[in-house]
Amino acid sequence: MGLRRKNKSPPVLSHEFVIQNHADAVSCLAMGLLLGLMFEVTAKYVIIFITVQYNVTYITDDKSEPIHFYEYGPKDIATIIFYMLIAIILHAVIQEYVLDKINRRLHLSKTKHSKFNESGQLAFFYLFSFAWGASILTAEEFMTNPTLLWKDYPHSHMLFQVKFFYVCQIAYWLHALPELYFQKIRKEDIPRQLYYICLYIAHISGAYVLNLQRLGLILLVPHYLVELIFHASRLFYFSDENKQKGFTLWALLFVMARLLTLTLSVLTFGFGLARVENPGFSIADGNFNVLTVRISCLAAICLTQAWMMWKFINFQLKKWREHIQNQIPKKKITYTKSKSTKKEPNRGQ
């Protein structure tokens, strides 16, 4: 064997250089922001990027401890940018220290390699988000009482966990946009990934800005569970193509999640918010309970669910056709074998 040639480092600021070193550059930027907390001059500016803003404190007579709530505002953009940088760093860590090592063992093709990386990253995110969202739901009462989804609207005051959850969700899906470039996603896969990334950003940001955090949270948690099962099943499928039972469970839960989403959305926008005591439109109060907004939100959710069901049906039909095509050669082989065994006695006579 000859000696391996060392890979030449790409030119500085070239596309390949940026792709290879983007995680290090982002880490330095995030570290610089954290170091800004050490100096009094910069701390008051850097704190906007790191901590959750717009704290509102209430002091009640019956409780000695004050109650802390949070609202949203323009400074949240800075916080989202910082945690978007953190998401890029975590993405690179998972890719290098987990997914790449598994890929070397599986020896996948380029197409499966790209899908494996996508499912691996999303499986980690869905698992973390589902566990986090479920813990918030268990602490809230509106999981068992659906009327709290619209009662006392607008829900402009959020608990810390709820606000931080939404900030991290928006930051993660925004980070997925530059990752299409950093991960060198194939051109034919970019439109498909752009569709669901933009849908996540639009729906989560809409729920956050319109003070529909409760509805958004109770819809996201079961949806993330379904997506987690799908991507985990796809990971097992890439390791062993005989492991396909997870897709059956995913198909069942997928339909149930779509029905749950439509039911809660119609119940909230069609009946609940239409009958609250303070309908009106006020940006200052965070009240967007008018007919136009309700119809627009309900239409957006229904159209998204219809599009997802259409993709789901096409996916199932494609799998069904592939299954039939794989069964035809097997039937021909069994038929020829049975035919040859019937002729064998005649040859011996």
Side-chain angles (χ1 to χ4, degrees):
M1 291 180 63
L3 295 174
R4 291 182 179 179
R5 293 182 179 179
K6 294 183 179 180
N7 295 327
K8 294 182 179 179
S9 58
V12 180
L13 298 181
S14 64
H15 289 287
E16 194 64 29
F17 179 85
V18 173
I19 290 172
Q20 289 183 7
N21 301 280
H22 74 276
D24 297 331
V26 172
S27 299
C28 293
L29 181 58
M31 187 62 68
L33 290 173
L34 291 174
L35 289 175
L37 294 174
M38 300 175 62
F39 306 98
E40 187 177 355
V41 178
T42 58
K44 58 182 178 180
Y45 301 106
V46 175
I47 200 72
I48 300 175
F49 289 88
I50 299 172
T51 61
V52 178
Q53 302 297 310
Y54 302 103
N55 181 18
V56 179
T57 304
Y58 289 93
I59 300 176
T60 57
D61 297 334
D62 55 343
K63 292 184 178 180
S64 58
E65 295 183 0
I67 303 174
H68 300 281
F69 291 101
Y70 292 85
E71 298 176 348
Y72 69 82
K75 293 181 181 179
D76 291 341
I77 298 175
T79 311
I80 290 172
I81 291 174
F82 175 77
Y83 286 100
M84 185 177 72
L85 300 179
I86 300 299
I88 293 175
I89 298 170
L90 293 176
H91 189 116
V93 170
I94 294 172
Q95 184 65 45
E96 182 175 355
Y97 293 100
V98 179
L99 298 179
D100 285 346
K101 291 183 178 180
I102 299 175
N103 270 319
R104 296 189 191 100
R105 296 180 181 179
L106 296 178
H107 303 289
L108 299 174
S109 62
K110 289 185 178 180
T111 304
K112 290 184 177 181
H113 179 83
S114 177
K115 292 182 178 179
F116 183 88
N117 289 336
E118 179 189 2
S119 291
Q121 293 287 349
L122 290 175
F124 275 104
F125 169 73
Y126 287 137
L127 177 61
F128 174 76
S129 297
F130 169 74
W132 189 6
S135 66
I136 297 174
L137 286 180
T138 54
E140 298 292 336
E141 297 179 356
F142 56 83
M143 186 176 179
T144 56
N145 187 7
T147 59
L148 295 177
L149 294 175
W150 58 81
K151 188 178 180 181
D152 298 329
Y153 181 85
H155 308 132
S156 56
H157 294 159
M158 297 172 280
L159 295 174
F160 172 79
Q161 288 292 338
V162 176
K163 174 161 184 174
F164 193 45
F165 177 83
Y166 272 91
V167 168
C168 292
Q169 292 294 311
I170 297 172
Y172 178 86
W173 291 112
L174 284 175
H175 112 280
L177 294 174
E179 286 294 344
L180 297 176
Y181 170 73
F182 294 145
Q183 298 297 322
K184 295 192 286 188
I185 303 299
R186 299 185 308 166
K187 291 183 179 179
E188 55 268 26
D189 291 337
I190 290 178
R192 176 183 60 83
Q193 295 191 26
L194 270 178
Y195 286 150
Y196 70 74
I197 291 172
C198 293
L199 283 174
Y200 274 118
I201 294 173
H203 284 73
I204 296 174
S205 301
Y208 184 68
V209 173
L210 298 177
N211 288 319
L212 296 168
Q213 299 92 354
R214 297 180 180 180
L215 178 64
L217 187 62
I218 205 169
L219 294 181
L220 271 177
V221 171
H223 173 74
Y224 280 167
L225 175 62
V226 174
E227 293 299 306
L228 170 62
I229 293 174
F230 171 75
H231 288 285
S233 301
R234 196 156 75 159
L235 291 175
F236 285 118
Y237 174 77
F238 288 140
S239 62
D240 186 0
E241 294 186 355
N242 295 322
K243 297 179 180 179
Q244 300 187 24
K245 294 182 179 180
F247 291 110
T248 305
L249 176 61
W250 163 74
L252 178 62
L253 294 178
F254 182 90
V255 176
M256 294 175 62
R258 304 287 72 76
L259 293 175
L260 176 65
T261 300
L262 291 174
T263 302
L264 291 178
S265 299
V266 172
L267 191 64
T268 301
F269 293 110
F271 297 97
L273 291 176
R275 299 179 181 180
V276 295
E277 298 178 355
N278 57 340
F281 184 85
S282 175
I283 298 177
D285 298 332
N287 191 351
F288 303 94
N289 188 14
V290 292
L291 181 62
T292 305
V293 176
R294 292 199 303 268
I295 292 178
S296 300
C297 293
L298 185 58
I301 293 174
C302 291
L303 289 174
T304 303
Q305 302 308 304
W307 178 76
M308 293 175 68
M309 281 302 300
W310 174 255
K311 300 288 288 184
F312 172 77
I313 292 171
N314 287 333
F315 176 79
Q316 295 298 328
L317 289 175
K318 181 181 177 182
K319 290 294 182 183
W320 180 66
R321 290 167 186 165
E322 291 177 355
H323 178 72
I324 292 177
Q325 290 177 357
N326 292 332
Q327 291 296 323
I328 292 175
K330 293 181 180 179
K331 289 181 180 180
K332 289 182 178 179
I333 293 172
T334 55
Y335 176 75
T336 53
K337 285 184 178 179
S338 61
K339 196 172 181 180
S340 61
T341 53
K342 290 179 180 179
K343 291 182 179 180
E344 283 179 359
N346 294 330
R347 291 177 182 176
Q349 288 178 354

